[in-house]
């Protein structure tokens, strides 16, 4: 036997420590630091050394276990049968090699019957049914022990709580396995809400699904509209089931949602064709997939193949190559939003990624900036993961200039210089100065936007000047601006000033929902504002509403209720409201008319909905809305179902609000 030298031993120790650390980050903290590809590289190198020097395989080597230990927040749940992971391939040649091994072990020359399934990019969970009743649900954890998240899983509509009587009798203990994930459109809507609440957006649907599933409050999980797709079972006795195909049929009969792209394929060539098709179509799906899982169909063959330490020999994941593009970070700026959250933004040398030219990438917050270890001038790989704003995946360290500097996260607000704070349990740094010009600018812009007072001509540039010249200290000052004050401003000729003053005057007659929206209360977007107007009817009764009543409104909840009460308790805000009254803003009464709720609003419908499109068209039109077939800047809402295609992207680009069926129902 060849003896390893000191260098190999050191490398092995380093690899094991690294892999253990990444396992912990991935499984326990749900916060992976490196990409799957990089993790695989480390793991492959570990296996390579252990293959060459088998005497070095220790029982506690990461190669001998499935993952790291579980976190302590939920009760542990032991899986009766371990939840394995999958071997990976990244090319047709590698898949052909997998297939060759399968045929060799099965001692057959024939094409193998496979079932191909999209590799859903969510979280694997197990559901335990005892006598047909859903009793316990858990995450995968380290493959042996996961977390008991039964209460949260029960809120997912696509998880049946009871199985049919014949199935319950046949399989008194049945474990169903599958993936929980979030639709891209759901994440878009969620991120809009989070942003309105001043909470930084979630990076991608996978993180969003993971976070939503591990909520200690199941109500939050319920609101997140997660989806479960089943793809496997285990039971003490699999009577009557001879293949993966039979499993899929059984799960379908039992009303589990099964992915629509699952299909059989025989031999390498057919599998490769299906893979190509899936890769081509993946952008049109409303959920992320990161490859295709290929399973040997017949159970007798699966059994004959068995498993290696952490993965079955009868299945493999063929991963897609994510489109990553290299560019350079020219600068990092820190932008202050309307709510005071400070976001680092990478200014990039413009490049095309997944069909769009991008020149900005969000770096989210200080933790992310440090995790990536960004230096100015760094060459980086960027990737668009469903979002319009791309993420920085990693820095190409080899190309770093020797004297490259780290951007420094500011201690003080880049706009008003007051000290930034990072509230407990938050990733964002915030400027707490209510008079901060950058926040005020954002507020003013929001106040005058289409959904609010709709003052044409009051854009971000003018907002900046008005604040800089101290003509406006809060949005209430807009209504008493004069010709004399506006004329000296940059680019404000007489005509423009007259138009602006006309628009301000007209805006004083505003509808109550728009008035409420314009105030910019955290969490109160257009839908919530309409709801509040319907419920309270006048501005005065909303102003004096108590927290209990607000909390009980469907679609408001305790956090927003608190924000509303705090908003009206603030003396600065009361002053602003007085200014508005004195300047002649009409605080109107509002009639919650059943019929005209959507009047003046235009909709476009896309994707597959739970009922025919005409049903929704009639619903919208009956409430006074208009439905058209193509999206433009005048469209108010895109009603979006599954597999929405290009309309969703276009809506994104034009800033058209994307809503779900459920939200439409909430409007009505
Ligand atoms: S089967 C023994 N099927 O991939 C087979 N897994 O690395 C184990 N996944 O953690 C899993 N889609 O979260 C299987 N159609 C699919 C899947 C799938 C996604 C995930 C699952 C698991 C990981 C395996």
């Amino acid at each position: 036997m060849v003896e390893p030298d000191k260098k190999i031993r050191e490398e092995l120790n380093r690899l094991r420590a690294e892999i253990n650390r990444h396992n912990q980050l991935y499984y326990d903290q749900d916060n992976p630091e490196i990409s799957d590809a990089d993790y695989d590289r480390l793991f492959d190198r570990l296996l390579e050394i252990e293959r060459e020097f088998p005497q070095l395989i220790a029982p506690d080597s990461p190669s001998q276990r499935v993952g790291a230990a579980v976190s302590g927040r939920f009760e542990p749940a032991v899986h009766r049968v371990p939840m394995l992971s999958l071997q990976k391939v990244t090319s047709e040649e590698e898949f052909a090699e997998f297939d060759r091994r399968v045929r060799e072990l099965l001692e057959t020359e024939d094409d193998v019957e496979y079932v191909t399934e999209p590799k859903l990019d969510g979280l694997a969970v197990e559901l335990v049914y005892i006598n047909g009743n859903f009793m316990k649900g858990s995450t995968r954890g380290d493959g042996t022990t996961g977390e008991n998240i039964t209460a949260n899983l029960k809120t997912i509509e696509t998880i049946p709580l009871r199985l049919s009587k014949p199935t319950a009798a046949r399989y008194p203990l049945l474990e169903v396995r599958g993936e929980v994930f979030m639709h891209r459109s759901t994440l878009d809507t969620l991120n809009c809400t989070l942003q309105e609440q001043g909470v930084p957006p979630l990076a991608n649907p996978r993180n969003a699904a993971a976070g939503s599933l591990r909520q200690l409050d199941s109500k939050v999980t319920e609101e997140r509209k997660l989806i479960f797709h089943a793809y496997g079972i285990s039971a003490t006795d699999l009577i009557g089931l001879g293949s993966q195909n039979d499993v899929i049929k059984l799960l379908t009969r039992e009303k589990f949602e099964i992915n629509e792209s699952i299909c059989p394929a025989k031999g390498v060539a057919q599998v490769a064709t299906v893979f190509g098709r899936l890769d081509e179509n993946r952008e049109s799906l409303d959920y992320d997939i990161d490859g295709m899982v290929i399973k040997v169909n017949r159970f007798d063959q699966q059994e004959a193949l068995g498993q290696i330490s952490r993965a079955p020999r009868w299945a493999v994941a063929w991963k897609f190559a994510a489109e990553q593009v290299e560019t350079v970070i020219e600068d990092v700026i820190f932008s202050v939003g309307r709510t005071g959250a400070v976001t680092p933004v990478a200014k990039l040398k413009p490049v095309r990624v997944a069909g769009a030219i991008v020149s900005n990438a969000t770096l989210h917050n200080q933790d992310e900036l440090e995790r990536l270890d960004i230096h100015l001038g760094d060459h980086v790989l960027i990737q668009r993961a469903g979002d319009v704003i791309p993420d920085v995946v990693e820095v190409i360290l080899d190309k770093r200039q020797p004297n490259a500097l780290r951007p420094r996260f500011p201690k003080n607000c880049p706009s008003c210089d007051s000290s930034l704070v990072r509230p407990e349990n938050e990733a964002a740094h915030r400027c707490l100065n209510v008079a901060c010009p950058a926040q005020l600018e954002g507020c003013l812009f929001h106040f005058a936007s289409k959904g609010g007072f709709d003052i044409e001509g009051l854009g971000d540039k003018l907002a900046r000047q008005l604040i800089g010249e101290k003509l406006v200290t809060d949005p209430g000052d807009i209504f008493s601006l004069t010709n004399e004050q506006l004329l000296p401003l940059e680019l404000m000729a007489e005509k423009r000033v007259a138009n602006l003053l006309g628009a301000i005057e007209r805006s004083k007659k505003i509808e109550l929902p728009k008035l409420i929206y314009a105030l910019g209360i955290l969490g109160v977007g257009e839908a919530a504002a309409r709801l509040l107007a319907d419920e309270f009817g006048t501005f005065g009764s909303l102003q004096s509403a108590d927290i209990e009543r607000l909390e009980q409104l469907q679609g408001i909840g305790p956090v927003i209720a608190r924000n509303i009460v705090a908003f009206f308790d603030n003396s600065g805000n009361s002053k602003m409201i007085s200014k508005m009254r004195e300047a002649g803003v009409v605080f109107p009464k509002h009639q919650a008319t059943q019929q005209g709720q959507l009047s003046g609003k235009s909709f476009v419908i896309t994707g597959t909905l739970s009922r025919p499109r005409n049903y929704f068209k009639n619903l919208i039109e009956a409430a006074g809305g208009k439905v058209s077939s193509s999206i433009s800047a005048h469209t108010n809402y895109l009603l979006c179902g599954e597999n929405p295609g290009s309309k969703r992207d276009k809506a994104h680009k034009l800033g058209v609000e994307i809503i779900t069926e459920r939200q439409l129902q909430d409007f009505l």
Side-chain angles (χ1 to χ4, degrees):
M1 201 182 283
V2 196
E3 272 312 306
D5 62 13
K6 188 166 160 238
K7 247 173 78 191
I8 289 283
R9 284 175 193 275
E10 276 172 8
E11 184 183 356
L12 194 64
N13 286 339
R14 223 180 24 247
L15 279 168
R16 284 180 181 157
E18 269 284 273
I19 292 171
N20 278 333
R21 192 170 74 81
H22 290 304
N23 278 349
Q24 216 174 42
L25 283 168
Y26 184 88
Y27 292 114
D28 295 357
Q29 295 166 28
D30 215 359
N31 184 21
E33 253 180 28
I34 56 173
S35 66
D36 287 356
D38 288 342
Y39 177 85
D40 292 346
R41 232 168 279 141
L42 292 175
F43 213 97
D44 288 347
R45 176 67 186 141
L46 173 76
L47 294 179
E48 192 179 37
I49 298 178
E50 290 186 344
R51 222 174 291 133
E52 201 174 335
F53 307 105
Q55 67 271 39
L56 293 184
I57 302 179
D60 64 346
S61 166
S63 64
Q64 306 301 303
R65 16 187 340 222
V66 181
V70 285
S71 79
R73 284 176 59 192
F74 294 91
E75 287 289 308
V78 178
H79 305 299
R80 196 180 56 87
V81 179
M83 290 178 80
L84 302 175
S85 59
L86 292 166
Q87 315 174 55
K88 292 175 191 76
V89 295
T90 51
S91 64
E92 186 169 342
E93 292 72 49
E94 285 180 17
F95 176 69
E97 178 55 29
F98 165 85
D99 173 76
R100 198 192 52 72
R101 269 198 319 271
V102 166
R103 281 183 294 117
E104 194 177 83
L105 288 164
L106 294 176
E107 294 175 354
T108 174
E109 305 263 287
D110 297 341
D111 278 347
V112 180
E113 267 177 51
Y114 292 110
V115 173
T116 67
E117 306 176 359
K119 187 167 187 301
L120 303 160
D121 197 7
L123 286 105
V125 300
E126 174 175 83
L127 315 173
V128 181
Y129 289 84
I130 297 176
N131 295 326
N133 294 313
F134 174 43
M135 298 303 286
K136 192 169 96 180
S138 54
T139 60
R140 174 171 176 272
D142 66 2
T144 311
T145 311
E147 293 169 316
N148 184 336
I149 48 161
T150 313
N152 290 349
L153 288 169
K154 277 189 177 163
T155 68
I156 298 178
E157 279 177 24
T158 44
I159 293 185
L161 297 178
R162 191 154 297 144
L163 305 178
S164 71
K165 284 220 175 90
T167 298
R170 207 163 212 209
Y171 313 106
L173 172 65
L174 186 72
E175 287 128 348
V176 176
R177 287 168 179 187
E179 199 86 351
V180 169
F181 60 96
M182 186 182 274
H183 277 149
R184 291 172 177 167
S185 52
T186 307
L187 177 64
D188 290 342
T189 317
L190 173 64
N191 272 343
C192 288
T193 314
L194 292 179
Q195 253 161 342
E196 276 173 3
Q197 293 171 354
V199 178
L202 297 164
N204 56 52
R206 193 198 166 277
N207 282 8
S212 306
L213 207 50
R214 285 172 154 179
Q215 291 289 328
L216 291 175
D217 178 359
S218 307
K219 275 211 206 92
V220 180
T221 312
E222 186 172 13
E223 282 164 10
R224 297 289 173 86
K225 304 275 159 286
L226 297 172
I227 308 284
F228 174 74
H229 279 188
Y231 51 62
I233 61 169
S234 62
T236 37
D237 188 350
L238 291 174
I239 12 170
L241 300 173
S243 66
Q244 173 68 3
N245 234 329
D246 291 347
V247 168
I248 299 292
K249 276 193 215 142
L250 171 75
L251 290 169
T252 312
R253 265 202 319 275
E254 292 304 321
K255 307 275 184 296
F256 284 94
E257 207 165 290
I258 303 297
N259 192 279
E260 71 272 14
S261 307
I262 293 183
C263 74
K266 244 183 169 186
V268 176
Q270 277 191 14
V271 169
T273 309
V274 178
F275 180 85
R277 212 168 49 209
L278 191 65
D279 197 3
E280 236 168 63
N281 290 339
R282 62 193 275 224
E283 268 316 305
S284 67
L285 301 174
D286 193 20
Y287 47 87
D288 286 356
I289 57 176
D290 58 352
M292 187 166 90
V293 181
I294 302 129
K295 300 174 180 170
V296 170
N297 183 36
R298 280 167 44 186
F299 281 176
D300 59 331
Q301 294 187 331
Q302 288 191 4
E303 226 162 277
L305 289 161
Q307 69 180 64
I308 33 178
S309 67
R310 59 203 279 267
R313 278 207 195 86
W314 47 263
V316 71
W318 184 350
K319 304 265 279 200
F320 298 131
E323 199 202 352
Q324 298 188 342
V325 179
E326 184 180 330
T327 185
V328 176
I329 295 199
E330 293 179 332
D331 197 6
V332 172
I333 60 154
F334 294 86
S335 104
V336 188
R338 168 167 74 86
T339 61
V342 178
T343 309
V345 178
K347 293 281 167 192
L348 308 169
K349 188 161 162 233
V351 272
R352 180 179 286 277
V353 197
I357 304 278
V358 297
S359 49
N360 288 326
T362 171
L363 295 164
H364 301 284
N365 49 49
Q366 186 179 24
D367 292 349
E368 181 70 356
L369 201 61
E370 285 171 6
R371 181 180 81 76
L372 291 162
D373 190 28
I374 299 281
H375 286 54
L376 298 174
D378 270 352
H379 285 248
V380 288
L381 287 183
I382 61 164
Q383 161 179 316
R384 274 175 72 203
D387 275 327
V388 173
I389 303 172
D391 279 320
V392 174
V393 184
E394 65 177 327
V395 173
I396 304 169
L397 287 173
D398 293 350
K399 295 197 181 168
R400 176 169 293 162
Q401 295 299 314
N403 307 325
L405 296 174
R406 280 202 179 87
R408 282 237 309 264
F409 205 98
K411 291 207 163 37
N412 296 73
C413 172
S415 171
C416 71
D417 206 37
S418 54
S419 302
L420 295 180
V421 292
R422 180 172 172 172
E424 221 178 299
N425 298 329
E426 268 196 37
H429 283 73
R430 284 181 189 280
C431 166
L432 299 183
N433 173 16
V434 281
C436 167
Q439 288 182 58
L440 190 52
E441 235 171 72
C443 287
L444 210 56
F445 185 64
H446 173 84
F447 192 84
S449 68
K450 228 170 103 189
F453 275 80
D454 194 11
I455 303 173
E456 215 185 311
L458 210 171
D460 51 355
K461 283 205 187 82
L462 180 59
R464 199 166 312 141
Q465 282 195 73
L466 291 173
I467 293 159
E469 297 298 322
K470 305 228 166 7
L471 295 175
V472 167
T473 54
D474 69 45
D477 290 329
I478 294 175
F479 301 100
S480 37
L481 286 170
T482 61
N483 213 17
E484 292 67 38
Q485 288 173 321
L486 292 169
L487 266 177
L489 299 180
E490 216 178 294
L491 298 174
M492 291 303 281
E494 242 167 70
K495 182 97 194 286
R496 268 192 80 184
V497 171
N499 286 346
L500 179 67
L501 288 174
I504 293 175
E505 197 52 39
R506 279 191 303 278
S507 78
K508 289 179 181 170
K509 275 200 190 129
I510 187 174
E511 291 160 26
L512 187 57
K514 288 176 155 236
L515 173 58
I516 298 170
Y517 170 78
L519 299 176
I521 303 171
L522 285 185
V524 181
E526 285 186 89
R530 182 180 303 276
L531 204 135
L532 291 167
D534 282 350
E535 182 66 23
F536 291 96
T538 66
F539 192 79
S541 38
L542 172 63
Q543 230 174 341
S544 53
D546 56 33
I547 195 146
E548 287 77 22
R549 175 149 176 225
L550 286 163
E551 261 176 8
Q552 275 157 18
L553 297 179
Q554 214 199 346
I556 296 295
V559 177
I560 302 179
R562 232 177 298 136
N563 294 342
I564 296 170
V565 172
F567 182 89
F568 289 118
D569 275 351
N570 178 294
S571 62
N573 291 333
S574 308
K575 228 185 266 165
M576 171 179 84
I577 292 164
S578 309
K579 280 187 209 170
M580 286 160 66
R581 276 190 203 283
E582 279 159 27
V585 173
V586 183
F587 286 66
K589 273 211 180 86
H590 174 76
Q591 196 86 52
T593 47
Q594 246 353 73
Q595 264 123 36
Q597 276 161 324
L598 301 181
S599 68
K601 298 286 176 205
S602 69
F603 288 74
V604 172
I605 307 178
T606 188
T608 315
L609 297 155
S610 66
R611 298 192 197 207
R613 279 201 192 161
N614 255 345
Y615 167 83
F616 291 98
K617 186 167 183 276
N618 292 339
L619 207 67
I620 292 166
E621 286 174 350
K626 264 200 339 234
V627 177
S628 46
S629 56
S630 62
I631 296 199
S632 72
H634 300 293
T635 309
N636 295 98
Y637 300 104
L638 176 71
L639 172 62
C640 193
E642 275 193 44
N643 303 335
S646 64
K647 282 200 177 126
R648 184 172 151 275
D649 293 342
K650 192 157 178 205
H652 238 318
K653 280 195 198 114
L654 294 171
V656 172
E657 194 172 336
I658 299 171
I659 58 164
T660 58
E661 267 185 58
R662 176 72 179 262
Q663 284 170 306
L664 176 69
Q665 248 125 33
D666 283 349
F667 280 167
L668 299 171

